[in-house]
């Protein structure tokens, strides 16, 4: 347990043991905070009638950011899913690009406003495009790894999805394929306890999503999804295994979805305020900040600087995205097929 | 100089072999395509020649075959994925329709899927309900996809090579009855046939038949017979059934003013129904008879028992009769 900082700290420095510098863990926290603050702003914009839809990341930032830091951000391929704000920020997407995505403007790098928000894609960052029927990205991540194996390229292919997705046929088919061919894939399930309204016990009969790994002959592990250091360690270990030719890994980050499924959902029809309030006590954005303060890494001054900078960036990005043009309506006919010349 | 004569399936193998040898990014994946060389032997010899890294036996899971292929294509490879029978493609339909077909569009041209999916289709092989179907109509209103159905070994080679080199997903349906039944001259050199172009297989003046796949041969046989009766048949082979070669369809319909649209697929909602609409929109004053469609009955699929299969499948005599009726109209 992390205890508040007092005269003498009782908290062990966990990040040093993982080989992470103070600057790196501060950068982790900054990305988590970015994701949280952007998410909060999106809800305001939605309720103010400025954007039609929000799909939220809150409660999953720690696992997302920790995972991204566990990969090679210059080289690896990633297939994040629609809640992965923390992941895509840590992977190189900017707040401005995120706002353009949510306002569905022409400059949105994911799809120029063609897809709903959160359907991330960014070729220059080796981030695959994905769709709304869930889990379809899993076989794609396996295909990236297969291609890399054929070409002799040393890289890891990482894919994220929810626990509801772990029931899909594509989850199974992709996991089995990757294991049979010993491919360098990391499957990371962000178990946020809910597939819209359907809770975990109505989604799976096994105790953990990671229990399924053994059925595929692959390594599986669950970790505390509110702890970015646990996510970092698990993903780093899985990546090391992949590089050693030991094949895929199935990870499960145990999180909690703090917000409704989307801005169109009312979660109070299927869960209680008390349950959500209890989960908020374990919110990784708060507990990681407390940890960083307690080990003396996050000072008051630094924290304020971070908050101010993120707020300014969000303000500027919101103005920019709101005023940016939509794609030309005639562009609806573009890029159905390759356009020669 | 005489050209080598190949069977339809030998043309498939030759095209695959030449493309694999020409481009190291081309690889083959599917059920039984490796050591076995495919249940029909379409990939015969490729495993020995190119090894298990480029001729990949996959687990029995069609959605993964398509989905893993999509991922590899996004990496820059040119996968040729085999669906053992087109009837088994439906588990992969979401990957094909929601993913492969939409990847370029939804990423605003950033990502693309240069993948070819080969699938044997068609009836007349005692395959029963699930080894006889024509699946093209299911995929033929999905912009982003191209659907190719060759009828001759020459077209097989040129179109398969063009499909593999195409930078968008192509479904390549091969008629399994044609595999060994249909033989023809195939140049040894490298050639491609542009996708999206229909081909006049026979020039005629009285009746136009627009068709594809095995039915092209039924139409050719009927035309030979009818020529003796003084009926001249014009035959257009669609070759690409999506998107359709509209100009060629309009031109062929105008040529004779009497059109028979022929498919072995079930009738309602079939590819030829779209051809009928194109003709209706463009050729009203050129027609001398109502457009006719000859197709399989609107029953779920072709039964196994011989007499039932025969009853279901379009027959050469029917084609002949329909052409004659139109000629006499």
């Amino acid at each position: 347990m992390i205890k508040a900082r007092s005269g003498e700290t009782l908290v062990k420095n966990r990040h040093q043991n993982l080989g992470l510098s103070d600057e790196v863990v501060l950068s982790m926290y900054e990305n988590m905070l970015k994701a949280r603050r952007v998410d909060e702003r999106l809800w305001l914009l939605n309720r103010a009638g400025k954007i039609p839809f929000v799909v939220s990341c809150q409660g999953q930032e720690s696992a997302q950011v920790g995972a991204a830091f566990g990969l090679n951000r210059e080289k690896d391929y990633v297939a994040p899913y629609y809640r992965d704000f923390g992941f895509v920020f840590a992977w190189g997407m900017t707040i401005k690009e995120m706002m353009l995505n949510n306002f569905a403007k022409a400059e949105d790098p994911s799809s120029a406003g063609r897809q709903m928000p959160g359907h991330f894609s960014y070729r220059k960052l080796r981030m695959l495009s994905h769709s709304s029927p869930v889990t379809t990205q899993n076989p794609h991540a396996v295909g990236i790894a297969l291609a890399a194996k054929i070409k002799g390229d040393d890289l890891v292919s990482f894919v994220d999805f929810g626990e509801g997705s772990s029931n899909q046929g594509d989850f199974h088919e992709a996991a089995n394929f990757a294991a049979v061919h010993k491919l360098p894939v990391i499957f990371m399930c962000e178990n946020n306890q809910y597939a819209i309204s359907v809770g975990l016990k109505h989604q799976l009969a096994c105790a953990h999503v990671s229990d399924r790994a053994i059925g595929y002959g692959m390594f599986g592990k669950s970790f505390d999804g509110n702890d970015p250091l646990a996510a970092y360690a698990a993903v780093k270990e899985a990546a090391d295994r992949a590089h050693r030719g030991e094949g895929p890994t199935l990870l499960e980050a145990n999180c909690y979805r703090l917000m409704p499924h989307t801005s169109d959902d009312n979660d109070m029809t299927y869960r209680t305020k008390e349950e959500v309030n209890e989960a908020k006590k374990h919110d990784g954005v708060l507990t990681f900040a407390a940890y960083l303060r307690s080990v003396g890494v996050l000072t008051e001054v630094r924290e304020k600087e971070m908050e101010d900078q993120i707020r300014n960036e969000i303000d500027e990005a919101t103005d920019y995205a709101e005023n940016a043009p939509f794609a030309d309506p005639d562009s609806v006919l573009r890029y159905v097929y390759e356009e020669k010349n | 100089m005489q050209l080598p004569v190949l069977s339809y399936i030998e043309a498939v193998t030759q095209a695959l072999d030449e493309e694999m040898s020409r481009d190291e990014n081309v690889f083959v994946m599917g059920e039984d395509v490796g050591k076995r060389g495919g249940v029909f032997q379409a990939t015969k010899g490729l495993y020995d020649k190119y090894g298990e890294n480029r001729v990949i036996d996959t687990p029995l899971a069609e959605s993964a075959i398509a989905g893993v292929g999509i991922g590899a294509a996004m990496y820059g490879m040119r996968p040729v994925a085999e669906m053992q029978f087109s009837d088994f493609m439906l588990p992969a339909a979401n990957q094909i329709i929601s993913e492969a077909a939409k990847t370029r569009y939804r990423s605003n041209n950033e990502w693309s899927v240069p993948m070819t999916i080969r699938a044997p289709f068609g009836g007349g092989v005692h395959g029963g309900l699930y080894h006889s179907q024509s699946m093209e109509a299911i995929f033929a209103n999905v912009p982003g996809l191209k659907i190719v159905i060759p009828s001759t070994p020459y077209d097989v080679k040129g179109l398969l090579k063009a499909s593999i080199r195409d930078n968008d997903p192509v479904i390549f349906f091969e008629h399994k009855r044609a595999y060994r039944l249909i033989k023809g001259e195939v140049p040894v050199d490298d050639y491609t046939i542009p996708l999206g172009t229909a081909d006049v297989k026979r020039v005629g003046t009285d009746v136009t038949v627009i068709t594809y796949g095995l039915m092209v041969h039924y139409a050719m046989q009927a035309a030979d017979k009818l020529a003796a009766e003084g009926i001249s048949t014009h035959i257009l082979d669609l070759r690409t059934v999506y998107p359709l070669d509209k100009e060629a369809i309009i031109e062929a319909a105008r040529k004779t003013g009497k059109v028979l649209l022929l498919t072995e697929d079930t009738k309602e909602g079939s590819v030829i129904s779209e051809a009928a609409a194109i003709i209706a929109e463009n050729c009203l004053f050129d027609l001398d008879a109502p457009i006719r469609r000859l197709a399989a009955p609107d029953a779920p699929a072709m039964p196994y028992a011989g007499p039932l299969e025969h009853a279901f499948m379009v027959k050469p005599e029917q084609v002949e009769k329909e052409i004659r009726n139109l000629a006499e109209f």
Side-chain angles (χ1 to χ4, degrees):
Chain A
M1 274 307 284
I2 292 159
K3 292 179 183 158
R5 199 180 179 201
S6 58
E8 53 188 297
T9 174
L10 297 171
V11 175
K12 208 169 74 179
N13 185 318
R14 293 170 53 230
H15 62 269
Q16 267 172 9
N17 294 343
L18 292 168
L20 296 172
S21 69
D22 292 352
E23 279 311 305
V24 169
V25 286
L26 279 173
S27 171
M28 276 185 178
Y29 178 64
E30 190 178 13
N31 280 291
M32 290 163 60
L33 201 60
K34 256 190 211 177
R36 176 62 55 90
R37 296 294 178 249
V38 166
D39 195 295
E40 289 167 349
R41 180 65 63 89
L42 292 175
W43 284 90
L44 290 175
L45 289 167
N46 173 258
R47 295 318 188 214
K50 301 257 191 194
I51 56 173
F53 186 74
V54 182
V55 60
S56 174
C57 73
Q58 292 189 39
Q60 298 173 225
E61 300 93 334
S62 314
Q64 295 166 355
V65 171
F69 274 74
L71 297 166
N72 181 335
R73 286 182 280 169
E74 304 298 316
K75 206 170 146 190
D76 292 340
Y77 276 66
V78 295
Y81 87 123
Y82 52 79
R83 291 196 197 282
D84 273 325
F85 292 23
F87 189 92
V88 302
F89 283 141
W91 204 254
M93 197 175 273
T94 65
I95 291 176
K96 182 173 155 187
E97 289 165 339
M98 177 68 86
M99 281 300 175
L100 286 162
N101 174 255
N102 277 274
F103 277 91
K105 294 301 176 70
E107 283 180 81
D108 156 35
S110 291
S111 78
R114 290 179 170 195
Q115 292 234 67
M116 292 181 84
H119 291 58
F120 304 116
S121 166
Y122 213 152
R123 185 151 188 208
K124 82 170 185 195
L125 300 177
R126 303 161 317 284
M127 184 187 289
L128 306 187
S129 161
H130 71 105
S131 63
S132 308
V134 296
T135 336
T136 53
Q137 72 273 24
N138 288 34
H140 304 169
V142 175
I144 293 287
L146 178 70
K149 186 185 166 194
I150 294 171
K151 302 292 276 183
D153 299 339
D154 181 28
L155 58 82
V156 167
S157 181
F158 174 88
V159 58
D160 251 350
F161 50 92
E163 82 287 353
S165 292
S166 76
N167 302 311
Q168 286 280 14
D170 272 349
F171 167 83
H172 165 73
E173 292 195 19
N176 184 59
F177 195 114
V180 165
H181 288 278
K182 267 197 173 316
L183 298 176
V185 186
I186 302 173
F187 299 95
M188 189 174 99
C189 174
E190 294 178 25
N191 181 350
N192 67 14
Q193 314 300 319
Y194 283 94
I196 305 189
S197 68
V198 181
L200 193 60
K201 72 172 182 179
H202 290 111
Q203 288 285 340
L204 0 156
C206 51
H208 309 287
V209 172
S210 61
D211 291 345
R212 293 177 166 180
I214 195 170
Y216 301 113
M218 72 169 83
F219 183 75
K221 185 176 180 173
S222 296
F223 59 87
D224 177 2
N226 284 316
D227 180 2
L229 298 179
Y232 168 81
V235 170
K236 179 78 171 47
E237 184 193 0
D240 289 345
R241 290 171 39 76
H243 286 300
R244 288 196 303 265
E246 292 169 27
T249 300
L250 174 60
L251 297 175
E252 176 188 27
N254 286 304
C255 321
Y256 188 86
R257 197 191 74 210
L258 294 173
M259 300 299 281
H261 167 62
T262 66
S263 51
D264 293 341
D265 179 33
N266 175 7
D267 62 331
M268 289 299 107
T269 58
Y270 53 82
R271 64 181 182 183
T272 63
K273 261 249 156 358
E274 292 69 36
E275 182 189 304
V276 178
N277 287 338
E278 178 58 32
K280 281 183 177 166
K281 293 179 192 162
H282 309 286
D283 178 356
V285 176
L286 303 181
T287 55
F288 195 52
Y291 163 77
L292 293 175
R293 283 183 214 114
S294 68
V295 292
V297 171
L298 184 65
T299 60
E300 232 171 88
V301 175
R302 187 73 190 252
E303 198 170 355
K304 188 173 180 312
E305 270 173 17
M306 250 186 221
E307 288 279 11
D308 288 349
Q309 201 199 325
I310 289 171
R311 192 183 318 108
N312 288 339
E313 222 180 303
I314 292 175
D315 288 346
E316 279 172 28
T318 305
D319 285 347
Y320 184 89
E322 193 176 359
N323 294 311
F326 285 108
D328 184 337
D330 290 341
S331 73
V332 80
L333 302 178
R334 303 288 307 273
Y335 311 132
V336 179
Y337 298 101
E338 181 184 27
E339 294 173 8
K340 286 171 182 142
N341 307 318
Chain B
M1 198 184 80
Q2 209 163 4
L3 294 171
V5 172
L6 295 186
S7 67
Y8 187 102
I9 195 166
E10 284 167 343
V12 172
T13 313
Q14 190 176 93
L16 290 172
D17 187 3
E18 288 183 14
E19 289 306 294
M20 289 185 77
S21 130
R22 177 181 172 271
D23 180 355
E24 61 176 20
N25 290 322
V26 177
F27 75 99
V28 166
M29 63 189 293
E31 295 155 13
D32 306 296
V33 300
K35 281 187 183 171
R36 175 78 181 87
V39 293
F40 290 101
Q41 300 285 281
T43 54
K44 186 180 174 183
L46 300 181
Y47 181 86
D48 290 337
K49 188 166 175 184
Y50 298 102
E52 61 177 6
N53 244 359
R54 290 181 66 198
V55 184
I56 302 170
D57 274 324
T58 65
L60 200 168
E62 284 79 10
S63 187
I65 294 171
V68 172
I70 290 167
M74 286 198 274
Y75 192 76
M77 305 295 284
R78 293 190 177 274
V80 183
E82 179 177 305
M83 297 285 160
Q84 197 157 77
F85 287 85
S86 68
D87 313 63
F88 304 166
M89 275 172 91
L90 293 183
N94 189 51
Q95 283 291 344
I96 296 168
I97 293 172
S98 294
E99 304 298 318
K102 293 175 177 62
T103 295
R104 182 187 293 282
Y105 191 77
R106 75 183 186 212
S107 67
N108 201 35
N109 210 32
E110 280 217 333
W111 293 102
S112 58
V113 180
M115 171 171 68
T116 303
I117 296 177
R118 294 182 37 251
F121 85 106
V125 294
H126 309 294
L129 302 180
Y130 301 106
H131 300 78
S132 304
Q133 294 177 84
S134 297
M135 307 302 282
E136 61 274 15
I138 289 173
F139 298 98
N141 74 341
V142 182
L145 290 181
K146 297 177 183 179
I147 308 175
V148 176
I149 307 185
S151 65
T152 67
Y154 177 87
D155 286 352
V156 164
K157 182 172 169 183
L159 288 167
L160 183 51
K161 287 162 87 74
S163 299
I164 293 169
R165 294 180 201 181
D166 197 88
N167 289 326
D168 289 300
V170 178
I171 303 179
F172 193 88
F173 286 116
E174 299 161 7
H175 201 289
K176 57 180 119 45
R177 180 116 203 271
Y179 269 159
R180 288 181 173 76
L181 183 70
I182 306 299
K183 295 184 172 64
E185 291 185 339
V186 178
V188 286
D189 53 319
D190 182 35
Y191 66 94
T192 58
I193 296 169
L195 305 185
T197 59
D199 183 44
V200 175
K201 285 287 193 280
R202 183 183 178 111
V203 177
T205 52
D206 297 328
V207 175
T208 294
V209 181
I210 300 177
T211 186
Y212 56 95
L214 183 69
M215 293 299 113
V216 171
H217 301 282
Y218 283 22
M220 296 290 275
Q221 283 166 28
D224 281 344
K225 277 190 155 179
L226 291 162
E229 298 173 24
I231 297 170
S232 167
T233 310
H234 188 79
I235 299 174
L236 183 72
D237 178 359
L238 291 171
R239 299 200 296 197
T240 295
V241 300
Y242 190 84
L244 284 168
D245 184 347
K246 295 183 181 64
E247 287 74 33
I249 291 170
I250 292 165
E251 194 187 325
R254 285 185 176 150
K255 180 102 172 60
T256 67
K258 294 177 174 182
V259 183
L260 172 65
L261 301 170
L262 172 62
T263 180
E264 70 170 272
D265 193 5
T266 53
K267 191 187 231 175
E268 191 168 333
S270 63
V271 163
I272 58 163
S273 298
E274 183 63 26
I278 291 167
I279 296 167
E281 281 180 341
N282 293 280
C283 308
L284 180 64
F285 300 109
D286 303 302
L287 294 181
D288 297 321
I291 298 165
R292 292 285 301 166
R293 287 180 294 162
L294 177 59
D298 287 316
M302 198 173 297
Y304 176 63
L308 301 182
E309 181 188 59
H310 183 72
F312 189 102
M313 185 90 183
V314 170
K315 287 159 280 293
E317 317 77 88
Q318 289 175 294
V319 179
E320 190 186 318
K321 190 177 153 203
E322 288 285 347
I323 297 173
R324 188 183 293 109
N325 287 347
L326 273 173
E328 290 167 357
F329 184 87

